[in-house]
Structures are given as structure tokens and as C-alpha cells.
């Protein structure tokens, strides 16, 4: 029983309960295909730390009073990511970057980055006095722009920190002026592949910039369902032209924009794909999603450690430019360190997990792992297209460039349950159709993909999903 009573439970009973749960979860892990998580990475070397009480409270570059922390490990992990993301890491240099290891997944990094964006654009004092701020008489609140494929944590962050969406600002102040129709939408439309529609983004940016609103742009690197990447370079450069036109890029003043990269999945493996392309290991797509700090317009980046890397619990990395950081709201003497992170107490074992992963594998091994995910996705796409021919009807096989996800028509319940597949609706030919997806994470094998296809072939009715007219849309 999992009930917790007033009496102590003997160790053998606790062991029996925990072991039973583990066996159940182990069975699910063997066929796990539906989510952005690698489930077979071995972190046994770090397991002994579960019996310790460690806390990375406060700034990662200041040890503080407590000696029970792993900040020296955290600093090395951050240095690795700064190199991976083409940044200079130095907490004391205004021209460099700063970051920390997240205790949650990228949601925490999204919240903190967007909070910093709102405060920066609102004129709050900066940690480094790098740019002045002139409060204009007709100051307008910032507006965040993001695509319809954006993770739900962005909307949650906006609600928490009171950062207004284009729907809120548009419907409140410019009700009859929406360039897309009668009512302002919540988000910017996406292309079918899942990337943000750059042309639509520019239309919206032009509207709000012309009204004097600073812009916060959230771009995605590996969307939740399609695993798609926004064309960050093309989108950013296009919007910057709009901002320049409206005098929102002023020398010596704070720029009136912030670009944040939600790379929960993609920022962990896309850098290795860039190296793979240089080695001719995979074919370069028409537009590679360059996203890192080589681009001066990128202000903050987050990634998760429990997705591509496969940490056993949610964690991640946030990095942002020093010159844009706002002053902490408090200076507690109790911890002996600056309160510069979103969380107070922070998980001190997560840096050990990230260090273990990146130390275990060479850079070339990680390049080959990233390539293998793309090859697996291409393989599954071909197998499902072959299955489609055998079935004689369309199952809408889709794969976006450099995505680890392959999408297709929702299968029967038994397949969904066996492989932990999720379901989401997409519009096809004007009608809503239910899709599922497979994410080719690092634990996925050709054997497992073949098993899925075999189960679909052998099932008497593998795709009992119909549109509203009770027929397949061909």
C-alpha cells in the first residue's frame, strides 16, 4: 500500500512497494516513444549524492556561507554551455554572459528570462550601468509575441509576471485594428512545419512598434508537438528592420526589444547537428536554425536537462547577457551570496548530473548521437509512408526539418497506451484531425520503431480516427 499511516512501515515492506513501482515504470520505459525524454541514461555514479543534503542557494559564482554545495561543478557546467552556445562566460564582465543551473525544467528559465525582459524594458535599474533609460511621457507597455506552437509555460510565465500578450493589448487598446481579422489572436500563426510564420510576425511587429510598444520575442527550438525550430535568424533580422524603422534601436539607450530562445529540447542537440553538417554527416536544411550568442540580438537561452540529455528529474540551464540583467530585488545577508536566481534554494545534484553526462561522452560522440536521432526520424517517416501504401488510406505522415518528432494520424487506444503516445489536434483541409507523434530520443532504436510499425500492421483497426463526417480525409 502507498498509504502513509501514523505507524512506521518496516523496511522490507517499503522495499517491496518501491520495487513494485519500479518494475511498472521499467515496463513503460522500454516502449517509451511519445515524449521529449531520453529514459535509459545511467547516472549510477551520482546516486550516492541522494544521501547528502546539498543546496546551491543563491548565485552560482558565489559560494556563500554553507559549504554543502556543488557550485564549483555548476560553474564548470555553465562554462561548457557557454562554449556550446558561443558565449563568453564571466559574471563580472558586462560584455559577457551569466547563467545558472535550473531546479525546474526550462519553465523556470522561461519565467526568469521573461521577468528580466519585462523589467529591462520597463526601465528598472541594471546590474551593470550599460545603457541609460529615458521614461517617455507616452511610454507603452511591452508586448510579447510567440507562435501558436509555443509551449504552455510561456503563457503561464506571462500570467505570473504580468507580461501582456498581443491578444490582451490588442483587444484592450486597438480592438478594431487587428491586421488578421476582427479579434486579436493570442499568438502568431505558424507554418505547417511548426515554425513561426515570419511574414505574419513582421505584420504584428510593425503594428505594435508603430504604436510605441517595446517587443519581447519568444522563439522556439524544438516545439512541444512537432519538434520544430523557428527560423530565428530570418525572423530576428526581419523584426529588427521594423524596430529600426521606428527608432527603437538607439545607441547608448536601452533597445526596445528582447529576444528569448526557448530551447528546452533543441538547444541541447542542435549545436551538435551544426558540427555534423560541417562533417558532412547529415544534409543541411534550406534554413539552419542558428540561435546562439553569436547573434548579438539573442538575449537569453534556456534548455532542459531531462529531455535530450536524459537527467532523471527536471533540470536545465539558463544563460543571458550580463549587460541586460536587472538588479536583484533583495540582498539577503543570511546566505552570504547574491540573490540573482529565480529559485532561492536550488538543486545541487543537477549540476553533477549534467557534468556526468558531458564528461562521459566525447564531443564527437554527442555529434553522432544527435545525427542518429535525425536518421531514426527519417527511417520512421519512410516506414510509416510504406505502411500508408499498404493500408490504402492517408495517415498524414509529417516530419519537420531537423526535428526528432514524426507525426501521423492518431492510432487506436492500445497503441497509444503501449507506447505512451499523446494526442493533439491539427487542421487538415479545413477540418480538425487528431494526430500523435513519436520522438526519436537517444534511447529509441530501429528495433523499437520496427515493433511499433509491426503492431500497427497486425492490428485489425490501427487508425479508428475519423473527422466530423466519419470518414478519412484523403
Amino acid at each position: 500500500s502507498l498509504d502513509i499511516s501514523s505507524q512506521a512501515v518496516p523496511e522490507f515492506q517499503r522495499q517491496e512497494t518501491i520495487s513494485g513501482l519500479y518494475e511498472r515504470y521499467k515496463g513503460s520505459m522500454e516502449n517509451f516513444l511519445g515524449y521529449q525524454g531520453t529514459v535509459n541514461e545511467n547516472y549510477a555514479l551520482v546516486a550516492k549524492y541522494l544521501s547528502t543534503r546539498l543546496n546551491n542557494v543563491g548565485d552560482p559564482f558565489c559560494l556563500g556561507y554553507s559549504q554543502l554545495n556543488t557550485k564549483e561543478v555548476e560553474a564548470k557546467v555553465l562554462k561548457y554551455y557557454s562554449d556550446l552556445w558561443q558565449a563568453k562566460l564571466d559574471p563580472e564582465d558586462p560584455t559577457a554572459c551569466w547563467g545558472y543551473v535550473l531546479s525546474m525544467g526550462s519553465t523556470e528559465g522561461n519565467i526568469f528570462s521573461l521577468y528580466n525582459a519585462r523589467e529591462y524594458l520597463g526601465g528598472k535599474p541594471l546590474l551593470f550601468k550599460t545603457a541609460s533609460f529615458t521614461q517617455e511621457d507616452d511610454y507603452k507597455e511591452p508586448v510579447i509575441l510567440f507562435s501558436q506552437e509555443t509551449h504552455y509555460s510561456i503563457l503561464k510565465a506571462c500570467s505570473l509576471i504580468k507580461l501582456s500578450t498581443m491578444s490582451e493589448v490588442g483587444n484592450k487598446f486597438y480592438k478594431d485594428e487587428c491586421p488578421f481579422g476582427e479579434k486579436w489572436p493570442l499568438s502568431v500563426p505558424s507554418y505547417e512545419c511548426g515554425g513561426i510564420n515570419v511574414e505574419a510576425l513582421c505584420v504584428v511587429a510593425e503594428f505594435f512598434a508603430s504604436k510605441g510598444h517595446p517587443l519581447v520575442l519568444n522563439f522556439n527550438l524544438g516545439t512541444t508537438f512537432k519538434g520544430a525550430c523557428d527560423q530565428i535568424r530570418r525572423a530576428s533580422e526581419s523584426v529588427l528592420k521594423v524596430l529600426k524603422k521606428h527608432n527603437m534601436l538607439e545607441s547608448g539607450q536601452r533597445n526596445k526589444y528582447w529576444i528569448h530562445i526557448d530551447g528546452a529540447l533543441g538547444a541541447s542537440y542542435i549545436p551538435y547537428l551544426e558540427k555534423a553538417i560541417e562533417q558532412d554527416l547529415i544534409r543541411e536544411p534550406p534554413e539552419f536554425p542558428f540561435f546562439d550568442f553569436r547573434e548579438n540580438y539573442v538575449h537569453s537561452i534556456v534548455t532542459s536537462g531531462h529531455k535530450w540529455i536524459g537527467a532523471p528529474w527536471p533540470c536545465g540551464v539558463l544563460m543571458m547577457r550580463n549587460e541586460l540583467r536587472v538588479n536583484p530585488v533583495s540582498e539577503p545577508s543570511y546566505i552570504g551570496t547574491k540573490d540573482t536566481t529565480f529559485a532561492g534554494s536550488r538543486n545541487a545534484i543537477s549540476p553533477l548530473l549534467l557534468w556526468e553526462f558531458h564528461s562521459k561522452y566525447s564531443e564527437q560522440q554527442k555529434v553522432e548521437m544527435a545525427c542518429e536521432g535525425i536518421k531514426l526520424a527519417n527511417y520512421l517517416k519512410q516506414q510509416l509512408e510504406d505502411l500508408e501504401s499498404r493500408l490504402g488510406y492517408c495517415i498524414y505522415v509529417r516530419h519537420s526539418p531537423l526535428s526528432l518528432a514524426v507525426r501521423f494520424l492518431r492510432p487506436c487506444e492500445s497503441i497509444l497506451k503501449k507506447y505512451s503516445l499523446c494526442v493533439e489536434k491539427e487542421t487538415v483541409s479545413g477540418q480538425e484531425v487528431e494526430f500523435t507523434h513519436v520522438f526519436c530520443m537517444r534511447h529509441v532504436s530501429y528495433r523499437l520503431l520496427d515493433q511499433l510499425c509491426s503492431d500497427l500492421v497486425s492490428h485489425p483497426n490501427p487508425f479508428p480516427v475519423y473527422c466530423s463526417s466519419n470518414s478519412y480525409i484523403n
Side-chain angles (χ1 to χ4, degrees):
S1 173
L2 289 173
D3 293 334
I4 300 175
S5 69
S6 60
Q7 302 299 313
V9 178
E11 183 176 350
F12 79 92
Q13 289 186 12
R14 302 197 312 273
Q15 181 64 43
E16 187 178 79
T17 299
I18 294 296
S19 296
L21 286 171
Y22 178 79
E23 290 304 313
R24 186 209 307 172
Y25 299 144
K26 184 179 178 182
S28 296
M29 286 191 291
E30 289 174 353
N31 298 317
F32 192 76
L33 288 175
Y35 289 88
Q36 300 179 359
T38 296
V39 299
N40 69 342
E41 191 61 55
N42 188 332
Y43 289 99
L45 286 179
V46 184
K48 66 181 69 176
Y49 284 92
L50 291 175
S51 298
T52 64
R53 187 273 186 198
L54 300 170
N55 188 343
N56 281 12
V57 62
D59 192 273
F61 298 100
C62 183
L63 292 179
Y65 294 137
S66 173
Q67 301 304 301
L68 293 177
N69 65 70
T70 62
K71 289 186 179 181
E72 60 181 331
V73 181
E74 182 176 16
K76 296 300 183 183
V77 169
L78 294 171
K79 178 61 170 67
Y80 177 82
Y81 276 93
S82 69
D83 292 341
L84 188 68
W85 294 342
Q86 307 288 326
K88 176 185 176 183
L89 182 71
D90 186 341
E92 303 300 326
D93 183 351
T95 67
C97 288
W98 167 92
Y100 73 97
V101 172
L102 305 164
S103 292
M104 295 162 53
S106 287
T107 293
E108 177 186 342
N110 288 336
I111 294 172
F112 194 59
S113 295
L114 296 180
Y115 160 78
N116 207 98
R118 187 201 68 185
E119 299 293 86
Y120 171 84
L121 295 171
K124 292 298 177 68
L126 301 180
L127 197 60
F128 297 93
K129 306 300 187 289
T130 53
S132 63
F133 178 80
T134 303
Q135 180 73 60
E136 300 171 2
D137 294 337
D138 58 346
Y139 171 76
K140 302 291 180 63
E141 65 179 307
V143 178
I144 184 170
L145 305 178
F146 52 84
S147 82
Q148 66 188 56
E149 302 289 337
T150 294
H151 190 260
Y152 60 84
S153 68
I154 296 297
L155 194 57
K156 181 188 296 185
C158 293
S159 178
L160 285 170
I161 66 174
K162 306 303 179 186
L163 179 60
S164 297
T165 65
M166 70 169 179
S167 173
E168 292 170 329
V169 174
N171 288 318
K172 182 176 181 180
F173 297 109
Y174 314 107
K175 191 172 183 180
D176 299 322
E177 301 177 53
C178 177
F180 300 136
E182 293 183 3
K183 189 175 181 180
W184 283 91
L186 177 66
S187 55
V188 178
S190 298
Y191 300 126
E192 191 281 329
C193 68
I196 193 167
N197 186 313
V198 177
E199 293 74 24
L201 173 65
C202 288
V203 169
V204 177
E206 169 66 37
F207 179 88
F208 286 109
S210 70
K211 303 293 186 182
H213 290 277
L215 300 180
V216 178
L217 305 176
N218 178 85
F219 291 126
N220 301 308
L221 211 62
T223 58
T224 310
F225 195 76
K226 298 179 180 179
C229 298
D230 290 334
Q231 296 306 324
I232 295 166
R233 175 175 286 177
R234 182 161 67 92
S236 298
E237 291 177 350
S238 298
V239 171
L240 287 175
K241 291 178 181 177
V242 172
L243 295 173
K244 185 176 181 180
K245 171 184 171 183
H246 293 287
N247 300 315
M248 302 182 84
L249 307 177
E250 300 178 35
S251 177
Q253 301 286 326
R254 295 193 199 189
N255 289 324
K256 296 181 180 179
Y257 75 97
W258 184 288
I259 292 180
H260 172 65
I261 310 299
D262 181 0
L265 175 62
S268 288
Y269 78 90
I270 292 294
Y272 303 119
L273 291 184
E274 184 176 355
K275 297 176 182 180
I277 291 170
E278 292 171 357
Q279 299 175 28
D280 292 324
L281 297 178
I282 60 170
R283 184 181 302 173
E284 184 173 6
E287 288 186 274
F288 188 85
F290 296 101
F291 72 94
D292 57 36
F293 290 106
R294 283 172 293 186
E295 315 292 356
N296 291 329
Y297 46 73
V298 171
H299 296 157
S300 53
I301 302 173
V302 298
T303 197
S304 291
H306 58 290
K307 294 194 173 185
W308 190 75
I309 289 173
W313 52 68
C315 59
V317 173
L318 158 69
M319 203 157 285
M320 68 172 63
R321 295 189 184 276
N322 267 333
E323 62 181 335
L324 309 176
R325 294 169 60 202
V326 296
N327 267 330
V329 296
S330 63
E331 297 182 9
S333 60
Y334 173 75
I335 58 176
T337 171
K338 296 177 181 178
D339 183 28
T340 54
T341 60
F342 179 73
S345 293
R346 294 189 296 113
N347 190 316
I349 304 180
S350 293
L352 294 168
L353 297 173
L354 298 176
W355 183 92
E356 162 68 359
F357 175 81
H358 288 296
S359 299
K360 182 192 305 185
Y361 300 109
S362 70
E363 205 72 357
Q364 187 58 32
Q365 284 177 304
K366 284 176 266 191
V367 168
E368 292 167 0
M369 282 188 241
C371 284
E372 186 67 8
I374 300 301
K375 292 175 182 177
L376 283 163
N378 289 329
Y379 174 80
L380 178 59
K381 179 176 181 289
Q382 183 60 58
Q383 295 301 105
L384 290 172
E385 287 173 344
D386 292 345
L387 172 62
E388 191 174 57
S389 299
R390 295 172 63 180
L391 291 171
Y393 54 79
C394 180
I395 60 172
Y396 308 109
V397 183
R398 307 274 198 272
H399 177 238
S400 301
L402 300 184
S403 172
L404 300 178
V406 178
R407 305 164 352 250
F408 55 98
L409 193 67
R410 171 185 174 162
C412 57
E413 287 296 326
S414 61
I415 298 292
L416 288 175
K417 184 175 181 180
K418 180 175 180 178
Y419 295 98
S420 296
L421 302 180
C422 63
V423 175
E424 188 165 295
K425 292 181 179 180
E426 293 186 32
T427 301
V428 178
S429 301
Q431 299 189 62
E432 283 194 335
V433 177
E434 289 186 317
F435 278 75
T436 191
H437 64 195
V438 165
F439 264 97
C440 296
M441 305 305 291
R442 291 189 305 105
H443 67 276
V444 174
S445 64
Y446 291 97
R447 181 201 60 78
L448 183 56
L449 297 181
D450 287 341
Q451 176 185 295
L452 167 66
C453 292
S454 177
D455 286 347
L456 290 170
V457 167
S458 61
H459 197 283
N461 188 18
F463 294 100
V465 180
Y466 296 90
C467 66
S468 56
S469 61
N470 293 324
S471 63
Y472 285 97
I473 307 170
N474 290 307

